[in-house]
Amino acid sequence: MKILRLSVVLFLLSTAISNAQYTSRVTSGIDLGTGYYDKEWAPSAMYHQELSVKAFPWFNLGWGVRTAAYYTGDKTLVPDNLQSKGDSLKFGRLSSNSLSVLFGISLKFGKLDIGANTDIMGIAIGVKRNGYYVKNAFPTGESSDYYNSNVPSSPNFFNVVPLAFEKNSGQSEVFVRYWITERVGVKLGYVHGRQTYKTDVKLDNNQNMFSTTYDMPYVAVSFPLYN
């Protein structure tokens, strides 16, 4: 998975740079924007802070806090359990809100920042919704009472490194940020996200987590802080 490889690279780079003697500059800012594609929305607000190493002033390690949402209409979620292949949970609508801590790297070339970030840990909340449990396998299993019927579900609350673990929700992005002036910038990026819902009951193969992924372009307005 390309995104998983990206997260490994981010980790290795952070480990190497953290061994540097000291940092030369700390910058921070706020990005306000949204992703959109084919009736799917992913608005977000992100506080980010970057540390540049004295020996490499163009290279920044970053961390931040992101509050984000995901809204869409008809959507089918699937489990990651291979034994449950063919099962799905269908929703007429999804809506979820999240708060997460993220890690990132960026390269700075004058007024241009190029970088990537990913959620490390966070929480998600949303309205409880009925998901239609589609089950085509026979003979009937331990959850036959729920086959082809509605099952109460809600966003998975606690999430860790969603890029690496399918039973978690969160976002990652790659971006280019251009500073139009010293106080305002524009950010263009691409968002990869995962949305996971948890059913109130255990279904076949002890499965209660169903996920979907989304990819969409992203645009935001950026404002520096404390610079």
Side-chain angles (χ1 to χ4, degrees):
M1 180 185 290
K2 293 181 180 179
I3 298 297
L4 180 56
R5 286 198 291 266
L6 173 61
S7 64
V8 173
V9 171
L10 294 179
F11 174 78
L12 292 176
L13 286 173
S14 67
T15 302
I17 300 300
S18 64
N19 293 325
Q21 292 184 351
Y22 54 90
T23 60
S24 60
R25 190 184 181 197
V26 177
T27 58
S28 59
I30 295 176
D31 298 334
L32 303 174
T34 187
Y36 174 79
Y37 179 75
D38 194 24
K39 299 181 181 180
E40 294 182 310
W41 291 88
S44 65
M46 184 180 81
Y47 167 80
H48 55 93
Q49 186 176 89
E50 289 79 33
L51 293 82
S52 61
V53 179
K54 185 177 179 62
F56 306 99
W58 47 270
F59 182 87
N60 296 306
L61 286 175
W63 74 277
V65 178
R66 175 171 26 230
T67 176
Y70 176 63
Y71 306 118
T72 188
D74 294 341
K75 202 71 176 179
T76 299
L77 280 63
V78 297
D80 67 337
N81 190 332
L82 292 178
Q83 292 179 311
S84 299
K85 187 175 181 180
D87 295 6
S88 63
L89 205 60
K90 295 181 178 293
F91 292 87
R93 182 183 179 187
L94 290 181
S95 58
S96 176
N97 301 282
S98 62
L99 178 66
S100 59
V101 176
L102 59 88
F103 170 78
I105 60 172
S106 62
L107 306 177
K108 188 172 184 63
F109 304 99
K111 294 184 176 183
L112 195 66
D113 300 334
I114 302 174
N117 59 66
T118 187
D119 289 346
I120 299 299
M121 182 182 300
I123 59 173
I125 58 174
V127 176
K128 180 172 289 188
R129 300 185 184 280
N130 285 326
Y132 189 77
Y133 181 43
V134 178
K135 179 73 178 185
N136 298 319
F138 293 95
T140 57
E142 62 270 26
S143 301
S144 57
D145 290 345
Y146 299 101
Y147 289 3
N148 302 313
S149 61
N150 289 325
V151 179
S153 312
S154 55
N156 188 48
F157 179 72
F158 184 69
N159 303 280
V160 178
V161 195
L163 284 180
F165 303 107
E166 293 186 352
K167 294 181 179 181
N168 294 269
S169 297
Q171 290 187 359
S172 300
E173 66 176 19
V174 292
F175 65 87
V176 175
R177 185 189 293 114
Y178 179 76
W179 294 104
I180 301 172
T181 70
E182 292 184 355
R183 306 310 302 172
V184 178
V186 61
K187 178 183 177 184
L188 302 177
Y190 199 77
V191 172
H192 172 81
R194 179 179 297 279
Q195 184 64 60
T196 298
Y197 267 61
K198 183 177 182 180
T199 59
D200 286 3
V201 296
K202 295 281 189 178
L203 301 174
D204 280 5
N205 301 310
N206 211 34
Q207 181 66 47
N208 69 337
M209 296 285 200
F210 292 76
S211 301
T212 186
T213 59
Y214 55 91
D215 296 275
M216 59 184 66
Y218 171 87
V219 62
V221 179
S222 301
F223 305 96
L225 297 174
Y226 316 122
N227 292 353

